[in-house]
Amino acid sequence: RLPQAELEAAQAAAEACELLLVVGTSGEVYPAAGLASLARHAGARVLIVNPEASALDGVATRRLRATAARALPALLDGH
C-alpha cells in the first residue's frame, strides 16, 4: 500500500503532467498503474517502456519495446 498523501500527490502530478513514462512492471501494479489512465484522460502523452506487451498498452500514446536499461539512457541522450 502507498501512503494516502503520497498517492494523492502522485495522482495530482499525473493529472498535471504533459508526458508520463511507465517503465517496466510499474504498469502492472495498482494503484500506481492507474496513474497512466489519469494522465491520459487529462491530456498527457503516455510512453510505455517495456520489452513485452502490458495491460496499459491501450492507454499508451507510444510504446517502446525495450528494456529500461536500454531505453532510458537512449531517451536521456535524445535518441
Side-chain angles (χ1 to χ4, degrees):
R1 276 178 60 121
L2 294 175
Q4 189 63 33
E6 284 78 359
L7 177 58
E8 289 173 5
Q11 290 169 333
E15 291 174 327
C17 74
E18 293 180 24
L19 172 67
L20 181 77
L21 296 178
V22 179
V23 180
T25 59
S26 59
E28 302 291 328
V29 180
Y30 283 85
L35 298 174
S37 293
L38 280 176
R40 185 65 192 262
H41 183 72
R45 292 171 290 154
V46 176
L47 172 62
I48 307 283
V49 177
N50 197 323
E52 307 294 328
S54 81
L56 291 179
D57 282 356
V59 175
T61 309
R62 308 265 329 249
R63 287 159 297 285
L64 183 54
R65 296 287 182 236
T67 65
R70 285 185 172 259
L72 296 181
L75 289 172
L76 289 173
D77 287 340
H79 295 98

